[in-house]
Amino acid sequence: MKLGAIYSKEKTTFTLFSPVADSVFVIFYDKGNDSAETGRLEMMRTEGELFGIFSATAEGDLDGVYYTYEVHTSDGIFCSHDPYARACGVNGHRSMVIDLSKTDPDGFADEDRPKLADPMSMVITEVSIADVSAGASAHSRYPGKFKAFTEDKTLSYFTDMGVTHLQLMPSYDFASIDESDSLKEQYNWGYDPYNYNVPEGSYSTDPFDGAVRVREYKEMVHSIHEAGLGVIMDVVYNHTFNTAESNFERTVPGYFYRQKEDGTLANGSGCGNETASERPMMRKFMIESVLYWMKEYHIDGFRFDLMGVHDIETMNEIRKAVDEVDSTVCVYGEGWAAETPQYPADSLAMKKNVAYMPGIAVFSDEFRDGLCGSVWEKGKGAFLAGVRGGENSVKFGIVGAIEHPQVRYDSVNYSRQAWAGQPTQMISYVSCHDGLCLVDRLKASMPGATPEQLVRLDKLAQTVVFTSQGIPFIYAGEEVMRDKQGVDNSYKSPDAVNAIDWRRKTTNGDVFMYYKRLIDLRKSHPAFRMGDAEKVRKHLEFLPVEGQNLIAFRLKDHANGDSWEDIIVAFNSRITPARLAVPAGKYTVVCKDGVIDVRGLGTQTGTEVIIPGQSALIMYR
């Protein structure tokens, strides 16, 4: 049964789940705000597959009509916007009936969406709609808007770099921005959900017209697809912006949220509440929401915020439902929670339970912090800072979080065993929107580092990411040495902190080119993206090294059908050069001392090679 306002030109049927209600009314308005009620329609309790469903049908064409629900219970009368709304007025307080067919841009319905052969071909970059287009250096006609991604200048930057997917930070309707005041300087990441199935109004050119944000979101997706890129949506089903005032709580008090034994709200999200994904109607909501974004907006993937709050069965049901529509759509998330969820640990979608979620990937904080140091200790570095002890955590990430005989799991941070069944279940990264971005992290852990050293270490960090067997992920702007002035939780910092300064592409063109060639190296050589645990164990061999802060491995015997027979990859985070013993032979060097060129940078013969300090070496024979 479809819930919400189901539109046709002849009639609209309103359906709401509210088993506690004695009666429910649909209240109509002619505007999305500041207007009086224009009519009401009583909903009737229905008999059928779901208990507690109220429904009513309004005759005629209601396209563009705004509405709310008035829910009468024994505890009082509650007014709520529709949890299942597909459009809304300014600030999301009133839902809107919408003819979605009118919102499709030309060519959208039958567009040729980009498809990848396998997950290992993905190169993901995380972007904020505001960060990309709102800065003074962006020169966008639509600063901070969906339509900025319809501009060739924006899209050509990403296609030139070589990424395959843009992971959009929250772009559904969130609560923290006052959409009615476009002149007020406002910023928020958007991890405060208000209307899950509606695009965010502040990113549209007219938040007062509920159809505009829908149309412009589709225009954005269509333009990104035409550029050959995929769109991944960051979804935050683990909590809502508020509880007592949320549409979940106002229609079914207590149902959509977990409670502690004393009756208080559980808070696995760290944001005041945690949703109860295991309850049938919350599970149904999540599954149908994901499918709605896939079908209506052509979304190519989903990144689940604090996925560890959700139960395993729900995540598997989402994966199953997605596969029935399009098995190439990716699903991944954070395999942890902010606080301990109120649900059995062995049933939660945590990293340690990934084996029970085939087809779903998670971020590896073992890998990230093995490279950079703990996010909770900003001044303490790890491998990149020349600190000993992180090598096995880095190796854990290099093999894709799978079981490998040469990784000492008792020395891996956070996890004492492999958790991925396949390397396709691990997202490789060194930074994202959360915590310090890479440059700020390096500065914090190495306060005396020179600008040249920061560049060398930035390149080194991403070389580890892109030669690892997981799915590579970068935070947009890292390729031009982006910083956020040392702010690690910039969720509401101004554009002066968050916006990407695109002028850095000129001053750091060498870094951008390194990233571009690094991405091309990975795409061109299947040895770096085997995608199969047995192949990784067979073809990836760590080489013995002398001392700390040096990691080296060999991809041997034409790994995964690669044209290169043997590939040597080494990472030296020491300030001084390092010696590495290698199998005898004549090698072509393709990466050395902060330069990449697959055509070759020279040859190397003998049984020993020198790796310059704070850099990577890649060579083949």
Side-chain angles (χ1 to χ4, degrees):
M1 174 180 287
K2 289 186 177 181
L3 300 171
I6 308 304
Y7 168 86
S8 72
K9 191 174 182 64
E10 295 74 30
K11 63 183 180 182
T12 297
T13 299
F14 300 87
T15 309
L16 178 70
F17 171 61
S18 185
V20 299
D22 297 320
S23 59
V24 182
F25 295 85
V26 188
I27 313 299
F28 297 107
Y29 311 88
D30 59 3
K31 294 182 181 178
N33 67 319
D34 299 332
S35 64
E37 171 186 333
T38 58
R40 62 174 50 210
L41 179 65
E42 184 172 6
M43 304 175 73
M44 305 304 295
R45 190 183 296 271
T46 65
E47 300 293 335
E49 57 180 307
L50 298 176
F51 171 76
I53 299 296
F54 285 80
S55 183
T57 297
E59 301 296 331
D61 189 349
L62 270 63
D63 182 33
V65 172
Y66 294 90
Y67 69 98
T68 59
Y69 292 125
E70 187 177 276
V71 180
H72 294 243
T73 75
S74 58
D75 293 323
I77 300 173
F78 302 93
C79 188
S80 172
H81 54 295
D82 190 352
Y84 311 96
R86 294 159 179 81
C88 67
V90 67
N91 287 324
H93 301 318
R94 292 177 179 175
S95 306
M96 192 187 90
V97 179
I98 187 167
D99 180 354
L100 289 164
S101 66
K102 292 181 179 179
T103 63
D104 286 355
D106 291 343
F108 184 71
D110 55 355
E111 67 174 2
D112 185 18
R113 297 161 62 184
K115 301 280 187 182
L116 291 178
D118 60 82
M120 297 306 292
S121 299
M122 296 174 65
V123 178
I124 304 167
T125 187
E126 180 184 39
V127 300
S128 159
I129 290 164
D131 293 5
V132 166
S133 61
S137 64
H139 302 302
S140 171
R141 290 175 296 164
Y142 306 102
K145 305 298 180 186
F146 294 129
K147 287 180 75 69
F149 286 84
T150 65
E151 298 175 296
D152 179 67
K153 181 180 179 181
T154 301
L155 293 174
S156 62
Y157 174 88
F158 292 108
T159 56
D160 181 38
M161 184 165 60
V163 300
T164 65
H165 287 73
L166 305 184
Q167 179 191 294
L168 303 180
M169 288 174 64
S171 51
Y172 54 76
D173 185 54
F174 51 85
S176 49
I177 299 293
D178 181 2
E179 300 170 359
S180 68
D181 189 353
S182 61
L183 299 179
K184 180 181 178 182
E185 184 175 359
Q186 302 177 81
Y187 182 95
N188 203 284
W189 284 341
Y191 292 93
D192 47 354
Y194 201 60
N195 285 290
Y196 281 109
N197 296 328
V198 181
E200 164 59 16
S202 67
Y203 292 154
S204 74
T205 59
D206 184 1
F208 291 89
D209 184 338
V212 172
R213 64 180 76 192
V214 175
R215 181 175 64 253
E216 290 180 350
Y217 197 107
K218 290 181 177 180
E219 290 173 350
M220 172 185 69
V221 172
H222 188 47
S223 294
I224 294 172
H225 283 165
E226 286 192 314
L229 302 171
V231 180
I232 297 171
M233 189 175 190
D234 193 336
V235 289
V236 189
Y237 297 113
N238 63 78
H239 76 282
T240 57
F241 169 66
N242 51 30
T243 310
E245 301 299 316
S246 76
N247 48 23
F248 283 160
E249 188 69 6
R250 283 180 164 263
T251 53
V252 196
Y255 179 82
F256 288 98
Y257 303 97
R258 295 183 186 134
Q259 295 80 27
K260 298 178 182 178
E261 291 183 3
D262 62 3
T264 60
L265 288 167
N267 189 27
S269 69
C271 298
N273 61 64
E274 67 181 73
T275 54
S277 59
E278 72 282 359
R279 295 176 186 166
M281 292 303 288
M282 185 63 201
R283 178 176 293 162
K284 175 181 170 66
F285 182 91
M286 291 173 63
I287 294 170
E288 292 183 352
S289 178
V290 165
L291 293 178
Y292 174 70
W293 284 103
M294 278 181 61
K295 295 176 181 178
E296 189 61 41
Y297 290 92
H298 300 179
I299 298 299
D300 306 290
F302 297 89
R303 177 264 190 195
F304 282 76
D305 182 69
L306 295 182
M307 189 173 70
V309 171
H310 303 315
D311 68 293
I312 292 171
E313 185 177 349
T314 294
M315 292 308 304
N316 282 334
E317 286 296 316
I318 288 172
R319 179 73 263 181
K320 178 182 177 182
V322 166
D323 285 344
E324 289 174 355
V325 178
D326 185 350
S327 61
T328 67
V329 168
C330 60
V331 177
Y332 61 93
E334 294 179 302
W336 51 77
E339 298 180 15
T340 304
Q342 196 68 21
Y343 201 69
D346 61 359
S347 299
L348 289 170
M350 298 283 192
K351 280 184 308 181
K352 64 180 181 180
N353 296 325
V354 166
Y356 304 108
M357 297 183 291
I360 296 175
V362 297
F363 291 89
S364 174
D365 54 345
E366 299 92 351
F367 187 42
R368 177 198 66 195
D369 290 2
L371 286 165
C372 297
S374 169
V375 294
W376 309 112
E377 299 178 83
K378 293 185 255 185
K380 185 178 179 181
F383 180 79
L384 293 173
V387 177
R388 298 181 177 187
E391 288 85 354
N392 273 285
S393 296
V394 177
K395 289 181 178 180
F396 177 93
I398 289 171
V399 302
I402 65 166
E403 183 68 36
H404 190 285
Q406 290 181 286
V407 177
R408 287 185 50 194
Y409 292 91
D410 60 351
S411 298
V412 173
N413 54 25
Y414 315 138
S415 298
R416 293 296 182 260
Q417 61 184 12
W419 41 253
Q422 297 294 343
T424 52
Q425 290 186 283
M426 192 196 93
I427 304 294
S428 306
Y429 76 122
V430 288
S431 73
C432 63
H433 70 275
D434 248 341
L436 292 173
C437 61
L438 178 56
V439 170
D440 284 338
R441 190 73 176 84
L442 293 170
K443 289 178 179 178
S445 60
M446 303 179 67
T450 65
E452 180 189 30
Q453 287 177 316
L454 293 175
V455 167
R456 294 178 69 85
L457 291 168
D458 183 286
K459 291 178 178 179
L460 174 60
Q462 297 298 1
T463 311
V464 183
V465 168
F466 278 89
T467 57
S468 76
Q469 293 296 319
I471 297 171
F473 169 106
I474 58 175
Y475 185 37
E478 288 179 349
E479 70 284 353
V480 292
M481 299 292 288
R482 171 193 194 167
D483 71 64
K484 294 196 288 186
Q485 302 172 36
V487 180
D488 66 337
N489 190 20
S490 63
Y491 76 100
K492 62 177 182 179
S493 298
D495 288 337
V497 170
N498 281 299
I500 300 173
D501 186 350
W502 296 114
R503 292 170 296 189
R504 289 175 178 262
K505 186 182 178 185
T506 301
T507 56
N508 294 297
D510 169 63
V511 181
F512 179 88
M513 182 58 67
Y514 187 90
Y515 275 60
K516 178 177 178 177
R517 290 183 174 181
L518 184 60
I519 292 170
D520 180 65
L521 174 68
R522 180 182 176 88
K523 286 182 175 180
S524 302
H525 289 279
F528 297 115
R529 44 186 175 83
M530 287 186 259
D532 179 83
E534 286 302 323
K535 286 184 179 180
V536 174
R537 284 187 282 268
K538 178 180 179 181
H539 296 287
L540 193 156
E541 172 191 29
F542 288 102
L543 300 176
V545 299
E546 293 184 5
Q548 303 288 322
N549 300 311
L550 178 63
I551 297 172
F553 61 92
R554 177 167 67 135
L555 298 167
K556 58 186 180 180
D557 303 329
H558 295 287
N560 201 29
D562 203 292
S563 60
W564 292 350
E565 180 180 0
D566 283 296
I567 305 171
I568 303 294
V569 182
F571 310 118
N572 177 20
S573 63
R574 305 171 191 172
I575 296 175
T576 56
R579 295 180 180 275
L580 175 69
V582 297
K586 182 179 180 180
Y587 295 90
T588 299
V589 178
V590 294
C591 174
K592 185 176 182 180
D593 209 14
V595 178
I596 293 178
D597 193 331
V598 293
R599 295 169 298 182
L601 297 167
T603 59
Q604 170 73 37
T605 58
T607 59
E608 186 179 81
V609 65
I610 304 297
I611 305 109
Q614 297 178 321
S615 70
L617 171 77
I618 304 174
M619 60 185 191
Y620 74 92
R621 62 177 181 179

